[in-house]
């Protein structure tokens, strides 16, 4: 867990970022604000094999800008271009974050692969994606390797697609941005109650709640999820590791 704060970094965590490893292959899912710093606590800057960005909001992708500097100017020399998967517009989104878009499009640093939802192989992972309920195109991810399955919701409001994607998952990493209230806007994020309900419908075996907005009451969100999901559920913790 490289970062699990929603929308903006909190005092104890950067924004969204997750390092998933199997058979020596390292896939980073999302590189939100502040994640690059925490990545270096776990692996070297050049030890990442691929990145998948769920969507193009800054709290999920903006550290690709910092990472481009780290790879381009690394003292060991420029490594081969890193495969970076994500929705349409990914390359332009990253390049537009500079004062002027790089004339080379960062293509010497990143191998941008703007992909539709579906199923593909990334290293040892079979990756199945579907579109979530969010104002911009957002991919939820189902990662399977070694007979185990991890599902990541990305950002989403209530979504039947998430339930299908997470069916019988060994671990569901699901956003629960805030506590349940009719005042919360629909079609953006899940509450703790809604996250638990999605996990129950999907028959997920274990749940981690992530993307809590820093001012949310985490214990209230957790209690809501426990009231609507009978399996093991806990709050994601920055720096924590989980074995499947």
């Amino acid at each position: 867990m490289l970062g699990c704060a929603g929308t903006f970094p909190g005092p104890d965590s950067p924004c969204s970022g997750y390092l998933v490893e199997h058979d020596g292959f390292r896939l980073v899912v999302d590189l939100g604000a502040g994640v690059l710093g925490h990545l270096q606590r776990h692996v070297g800057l050049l030890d990442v094999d691929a990145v998948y960005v769920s969507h193009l909001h800054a709290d999920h992708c903006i550290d690709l800008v910092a990472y481009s500097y780290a790879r381009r100017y690394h003292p060991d020399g420029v490594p081969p271009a890193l495969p970076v998967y994500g929705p349409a517009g990914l390359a332009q989104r990253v390049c537009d974050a500079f004062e002027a878009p790089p004339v080379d499009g960062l293509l010497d640093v990143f191998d941008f692969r703007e992909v539709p939802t579906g199923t593909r192989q990334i290293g040892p992972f079979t990756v199945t994606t579907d579109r979530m309920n969010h104002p911009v195109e957002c991919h939820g991810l189902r990662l399977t390797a070694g007979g185990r399955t991890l599902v990541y919701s990305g950002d989403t409001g209530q979504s039947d697609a998430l339930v299908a994607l997470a069916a019988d998952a060994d671990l569901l990493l699901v956003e629960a941005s805030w506590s349940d209230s009719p005042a919360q806007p629909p079609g953006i994020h899940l509450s703790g109650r809604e996250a638990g309900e999605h996990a129950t419908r999907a028959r997920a075996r274990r749940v981690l709640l992530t993307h809590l907005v820093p001012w949310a009451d985490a214990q209230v969100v957790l209690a809501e999820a426990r009231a609507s999901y009978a399996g093991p559920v806990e709050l994601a913790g920055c720096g924590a590791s989980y074995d499947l």
Side-chain angles (χ1 to χ4, degrees), residues 6-221:
T7 307
F8 59 93
D12 301 314
S13 176
C15 291
S16 294
Y18 313 96
L19 174 63
V20 188
E21 300 182 77
H22 183 74
D23 281 349
F25 189 94
R26 293 171 171 140
L27 171 65
V28 172
V29 178
D30 284 345
L31 265 171
V35 167
L36 185 63
H38 276 235
L39 174 69
Q40 296 169 75
R41 297 184 178 186
H42 303 278
V43 299
L45 285 167
L46 304 186
D47 294 335
V48 174
D49 295 295
V51 173
Y52 200 116
V53 172
S54 65
H55 66 292
L56 306 185
H57 283 157
D59 59 324
H60 293 259
C61 73
I62 200 61
D63 262 24
L64 281 169
V65 175
Y67 199 24
S68 73
Y69 286 102
R71 294 183 69 87
R72 173 172 280 166
Y73 299 110
H74 197 280
D76 291 343
V78 181
L82 179 70
V84 179
Y85 298 81
L90 171 62
Q92 191 66 50
R93 176 72 173 91
V94 176
C95 289
D96 282 349
F98 291 80
E99 64 275 12
V103 295
D104 59 10
L106 297 179
L107 297 181
D108 60 331
V109 178
F110 296 137
D111 176 9
F112 289 110
R113 303 183 183 185
E114 299 179 0
V115 293
T117 56
T119 299
R120 57 191 44 83
Q121 199 71 23
I122 302 178
F125 298 104
T126 300
V127 182
T128 298
T129 61
D130 204 350
R131 185 156 181 172
M132 299 292 100
N133 181 12
H134 203 54
V136 301
E137 182 177 354
C138 180
H139 295 180
L141 282 72
R142 182 182 179 96
L143 309 176
T144 300
R148 299 290 183 177
T149 296
L150 163 68
V151 174
Y152 169 51
S153 68
D155 281 8
T156 188
Q158 295 191 57
S159 171
D160 291 339
L162 174 58
V163 173
L165 195 68
D168 300 307
D170 294 292
L171 178 63
L172 172 58
L173 178 62
V174 60
E175 76 119 281
S177 295
W178 45 45
S179 57
D180 200 46
S181 167
Q184 307 292 12
I188 301 177
H189 297 298
L190 297 174
S191 67
R193 175 185 64 81
E194 292 168 330
E197 289 174 348
H198 281 66
T200 296
R201 292 172 60 199
R203 304 176 305 280
R205 297 183 177 91
R206 182 182 179 190
V207 171
L208 288 174
L209 305 177
T210 191
H211 201 270
L212 275 71
V213 177
W215 54 54
D217 188 323
Q219 293 307 311
V220 170
V221 173

